[in-house]
């Protein structure tokens, strides 16, 4: 895939070869199955170029265009004046109201320009800002019908909610004195060669029956993540959302960090502290849809149905009960691209996991659609070209202004070229999520006995990805932990999680099986599944039960909306074994770098023995999934001759194993071809055990 690596991630850039035209069809060189769709590739490529040229001509370029937050919303000038601007083309009159003018609807009228942008400047009073820090504000709009509506400013950076009064958010003018502003002290980490992602939610990051805070996450959770060896954190539910139980996916205020967990300055401290530990921090970015709230969201902001969103049915997601953006609108593009720039600049995030990309890519949003992999599904009337072009322009912006930026796409469809360079006609993401892998593990545990596990099918699912497009693999994420499902360990040991996870109790066959398979499932996913790895917080140690946020249906309980990290701190509980195995797995990857090595070569998938053997990054991986049989002097093929030693052993007592493999053992190769490899060596491989060997 040298062509992709040497090609510019820009639709205005050059491909990596003079033989490959920069017209959007370069991806065909990497995937000939795209040949019949060359015209569609050119069309969307030209569409993206037209957008960028139009922005260059009318706005002075993407760099300036993406700084919309410096013009819109509230901006404090050096002399203390405050300027407020808002795009509301359907309104006939606008006024700024708030604590500062005692909510007088006539006191602070705004002026409109020819583009429907309303503006007002409040002069400083004796050198002081006319609006006090922390005071509440709104914009009042008059509609053509004469109706007056109040809205929260669309670009507001702070909103708060008092549920004892109302579920509706209040907009707050955030302008702390210089002494109270957080000052970043650490540089962004360099872009990791291997992405080991820890998916986390600040609110649930406490064992207590309440919401956690940014400050607590910084103090208590960041050191745990560092110990585990993850080098990327993906923060969920940070952009302000109407309903806590939505997991952060019903955004109301796109520029506001959720006030549920603390102040903007607290979040900045979290990101900066992570950077000081060498950890990259990504934000879960929700541009696939928006909350349908109008009192405190973007829906019908200026009284029309079509300001930020498509009008009518096209602008509504029928399953999510949310609004869908009009990616072909100039001002919507300004809003969304500026939103991407804002979080990178203001909070120093290092990139994004784009949520719901499938909904952006297709006019049907993936609803009722089963993707078979037929390429006709990726082109034609079911594809939203405006959505694809938005994602191309977004990646153009991010990767050119922030070269070390990481973007991850959550897409279930398998869209070709999603993670290929823009100059080749790709969509420009760094990674895609391997969403079929966790589904496979849940299905396997639910529907098969251990002796029915299919080694070949497992290997196929783990390696069935688009060659050359980097994939992040995971055994389970937040999706698998939501109410109605269970974590992998719960599927493995069920009710014994309550009775036999103490080292002071009997090690039952169920617990022995559960601990063994939990380690094997995660390790084989790590080694075979992709070019990155993801874990949802708590799952590394087999967090019990599931996730269920406070809601009317559970009497607003926090019982299942927390992460019980106290379980691994109790040395009498077996959770510590899984936690330490996960840590060993991450730090071993840090040393050997298999995630950024070429895809593994699988030399054995033995259905009778339930053994899988493969090589990757110079390491020899041997898995025995057999429920009862251990194998002595088991012969496995290996390409590189030499003396091998144990690098990782899931049966190590430190990880809850039996210590059946002597870590000081040396394994010598024999110059005799075996299973398609030039040499072989012989190992003892106990039941439900994995060992990874490396050359001395």
């Amino acid at each position: 895939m040298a062509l992709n690596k040497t090609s510019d991630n820009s639709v205005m850039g050059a491909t990596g070869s003079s033989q490959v035209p920069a017209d959007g069809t370069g991806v065909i060189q990497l995937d000939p199955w795209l040949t019949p769709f060359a015209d569609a590739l050119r069309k969307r490529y030209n569409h993206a170029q037209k957008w960028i040229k139009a922005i260059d001509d009318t706005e002075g370029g993407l760099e300036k265009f993406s700084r919309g937050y410096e013009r819109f919303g509230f901006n404090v000038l050096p002399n203390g004046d405050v300027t407020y601007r808002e795009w509301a083309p359907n309104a006939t009159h606008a006024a700024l109201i708030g604590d500062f003018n005692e909510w007088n609807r006539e006191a602070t009228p705004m002026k409109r320009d020819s583009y429907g942008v309303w503006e007002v400047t409040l002069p400083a009073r004796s050198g002081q800002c006319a609006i006090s820090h922390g005071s509440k504000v709104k914009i009042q709009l008059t509609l053509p019908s004469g109706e007056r509506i109040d809205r929260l400013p669309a670009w507001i950076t702070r909103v708060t909610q008092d549920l004892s009064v109302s579920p509706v958010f209040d907009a707050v003018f955030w302008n702390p004195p210089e002494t109270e502003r957080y000052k970043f002290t650490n540089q962004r980490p360099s872009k990791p060669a291997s992405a080991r992602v820890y998916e986390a939610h600040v609110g649930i990051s406490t064992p207590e029956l309440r919401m956690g805070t940014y400050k607590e996450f910084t103090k208590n959770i960041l050191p745990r993540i560092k110990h585990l060896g993850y080098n990327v954190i993906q923060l969920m539910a940070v952009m302000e959302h109407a309903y806590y139980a939505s997991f952060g996916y019903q955004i109301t205020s796109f520029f506001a960090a959720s006030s549920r967990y603390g102040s903007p300055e607290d979040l900045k401290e979290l990101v900066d502290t992570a950077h000081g530990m060498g950890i990259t921090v990504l934000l879960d970015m929700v541009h696939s849809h928006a909350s349908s709230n109008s009192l405190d969201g973007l829906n019908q902001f200026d009284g029309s149905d079509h300001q930020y969103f498509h009008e009518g049915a096209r602008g509504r997601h029928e399953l999510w009960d949310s609004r869908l953006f009009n990616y072909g609108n100039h001002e919507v593009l300004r809003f969304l691209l500026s939103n991407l720039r804002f979080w990178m600049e203001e909070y120093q995030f290092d990139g994004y996991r784009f949520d719901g990309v499938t909904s952006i890519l297709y006019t049907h949003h993936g609803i009722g659609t089963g993707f078979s992999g037929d390429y006709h599904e990726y082109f034609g009337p079911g594809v939203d070209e405006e959505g694809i072009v938005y994602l191309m322009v977004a990646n153009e912006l991010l990767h050119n202004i922030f070269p070390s930026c990481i973007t991850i796409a959550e897409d279930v469809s398998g869209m070709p070229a999603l993670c290929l360079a823009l100059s080749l006609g790709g969509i420009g993401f760094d990674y895609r999520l391997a969403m079929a892998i966790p589904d496979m593990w849940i299905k396997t545990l639910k529907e098969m006995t251990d002796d029915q596990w299919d080694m070949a099918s497992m290997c196929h699912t783990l390696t069935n990805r688009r060659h050359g497009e980097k994939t992040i693999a995971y055994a389970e994420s937040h999706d698998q932990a939501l109410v109605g499902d269970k974590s992998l360990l719960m599927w493995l040991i069920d009710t014994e999680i309550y009775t036999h996870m103490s080292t002071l109790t009997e090690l039952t066959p169920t617990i022995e099986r559960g601990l063994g398979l939990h380690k094997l499932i995660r390790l084989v996913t790590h080694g075979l599944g992709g070019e990155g790895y993801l874990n949802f917080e708590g799952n590394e140690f087999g967090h019990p039960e599931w996730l269920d946020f406070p809601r009317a249906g559970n009497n607003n309980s926090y019982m299942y909306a927390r992460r019980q990290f106290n379980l691994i701190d109790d040395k009498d509980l077996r959770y510590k074994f899984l936690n330490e195995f996960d840590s060993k797995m991450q730090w071993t990857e840090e040393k050997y770098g298999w995630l950024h090595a070429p895809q593994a070569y699988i030399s054995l998938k033995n259905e009778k023995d339930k053994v899988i053997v493969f090589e990757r990054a110079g390491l020899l991986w041997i898995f025995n999934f057999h429920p009862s049989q251990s194998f002595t002097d088991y012969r496995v093929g290996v390409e590189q001759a030499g003396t091998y030693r144990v690098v990782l052993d899931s049966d190590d007592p430190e990880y809850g194993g039996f210590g059946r493999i002597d870590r000081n053992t040396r394994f010598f190769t024999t110059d005799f071809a075996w299973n398609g490899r030039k040499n072989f060596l012989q190992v003892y491989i106990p039941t439900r055990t994995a060992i990874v060997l490396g050359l001395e």
Side-chain angles (χ1 to χ4, degrees), residues 412-552:
V412 300
S413 74
M415 169 67 78
L418 189 64
C419 301
L420 293 179
L422 290 163
S423 63
L424 296 174
I427 300 177
F429 284 97
D430 293 284
Y431 296 93
R432 68 196 314 152
L433 293 176
M435 302 183 74
I437 294 175
D439 292 344
M440 173 194 72
W441 289 124
I442 292 293
K443 182 179 176 68
T444 299
L445 293 176
K446 282 182 179 179
E447 300 178 5
M448 296 182 185
T449 59
D450 292 1
D451 59 349
Q452 293 175 325
W453 286 28
D454 187 326
M455 301 296 104
S457 177
M458 281 167 45
C459 288
H460 173 74
T461 301
L462 286 165
T463 57
N464 183 28
R465 53 188 183 270
R466 302 194 63 81
H467 182 63
E469 297 191 45
K470 291 191 291 186
T471 296
I472 291 180
Y474 54 104
E476 54 183 334
S477 74
H478 68 271
D479 288 326
Q480 284 70 43
L482 289 173
V483 65
D485 212 326
K486 298 185 289 191
S487 66
L488 284 182
L489 191 66
M490 279 295 289
W491 279 111
L492 286 163
I493 66 177
D494 201 37
T495 57
E496 287 197 22
I497 204 166
Y498 304 113
T499 59
H500 287 83
M501 280 300 281
S502 170
T503 56
L504 305 178
T505 61
E506 174 194 4
L507 180 65
T508 66
T510 297
I511 295 294
E512 178 185 340
R513 169 183 179 266
L515 296 182
L517 289 179
H518 192 273
K519 290 178 284 186
L520 265 62
I521 286 170
R522 303 177 95 73
L523 183 60
V524 76
T525 301
H526 212 309
L528 273 184
E531 292 70 41
Y533 179 80
L534 179 143
N535 168 71
F536 178 65
E537 69 172 318
N539 288 346
E540 68 275 7
F541 64 83
H543 197 283
E545 301 168 327
W546 49 84
L547 272 174
D548 189 11
F549 285 85
R551 54 189 174 86

Side-chain angles (χ1 to χ4, degrees), residues 210-446:
R210 59 174 177 81
M211 280 186 217
T213 68
Y214 297 125
K215 286 251 181 217
E216 290 170 332
F217 192 95
T218 302
K219 178 183 177 182
N220 302 327
I221 308 303
L222 287 182
R224 294 184 186 275
I225 297 171
K226 180 65 176 177
H227 166 74
L228 286 167
Y230 290 91
N231 57 4
V232 179
I233 298 172
Q234 176 187 304
L235 280 183
M236 307 177 65
V238 169
M239 300 166 73
E240 194 58 273
H241 45 292
Y243 184 39
Y244 185 52
S246 74
F247 227 142
Y249 294 128
Q250 293 281 338
I251 307 299
T252 48
S253 294
F254 282 77
F255 289 84
S258 183
S259 59
R260 292 177 174 92
Y261 324 127
S263 75
E265 313 312 306
D266 295 343
L267 176 57
K268 292 173 185 177
E269 180 186 27
L270 187 163
V271 175
D272 193 35
T273 304
H275 286 168
M277 295 178 173
I279 300 173
T280 294
V281 188
L282 308 182
L283 179 66
D284 210 1
M285 176 55 60
V286 187
H287 279 183
S288 48
H289 63 128
S291 169
S292 58
N293 287 16
S294 55
L295 292 179
D296 54 7
L298 291 179
N299 186 27
Q300 297 181 331
F301 182 85
D302 68 353
S304 71
D305 191 43
H306 57 269
Q307 183 186 359
Y308 285 97
F309 312 107
H310 287 292
E311 192 170 17
R314 188 182 176 191
R316 286 169 171 79
H317 196 291
E318 62 185 62
L319 295 185
W320 297 342
D321 187 28
S322 55
R323 296 305 310 269
L324 299 171
F325 286 105
N326 179 359
Y327 302 109
N329 181 285
H330 187 94
E331 290 303 323
V332 173
L333 209 59
R334 185 200 307 277
F335 183 84
L336 295 176
L337 294 177
S338 295
N339 191 232
L340 296 175
R341 179 76 176 270
F342 173 80
W343 291 98
M344 298 286 287
E345 297 279 13
E346 184 70 13
Y347 291 94
Q348 297 290 295
F349 279 97
D350 303 298
Y352 302 107
R353 177 255 199 195
F354 280 73
D355 176 71
V357 165
T358 306
S359 182
I360 299 175
L361 294 173
Y362 302 97
T363 54
H364 52 66
H365 312 296
I367 300 172
T369 303
F371 292 96
S372 66
D374 188 304
Y375 276 49
H376 287 86
E377 297 169 346
Y378 306 126
F379 299 91
V383 174
D384 189 338
E385 185 175 293
E386 289 180 346
I388 290 178
V389 169
Y390 164 66
L391 293 173
M392 293 172 74
V393 175
N395 276 302
E396 172 96 21
L397 166 76
L398 291 168
H399 287 98
N400 284 278
I401 295 180
F402 307 99
S404 63
C405 171
I406 295 174
T407 57
I408 302 171
E410 185 210 31
D411 169 46
V412 300
S413 74
M415 169 67 78
L418 189 64
C419 301
L420 293 179
L422 290 163
S423 63
L424 296 174
I427 300 177
F429 284 97
D430 293 284
Y431 296 93
R432 68 196 314 152
L433 293 176
M435 302 183 74
I437 294 175
D439 292 344
M440 173 194 72
W441 289 124
I442 292 293
K443 182 179 176 68
T444 299
L445 293 176
K446 282 182 179 179

Side-chain angles (χ1 to χ4, degrees), residues 660-676:
R660 290 168 290 190
I661 298 170
D662 184 349
R663 68 178 65 184
N664 296 313
T665 302
R666 295 298 181 263
F667 303 88
F668 304 97
T669 58
T670 298
D671 182 14
F672 186 86
W674 192 258
N675 288 338

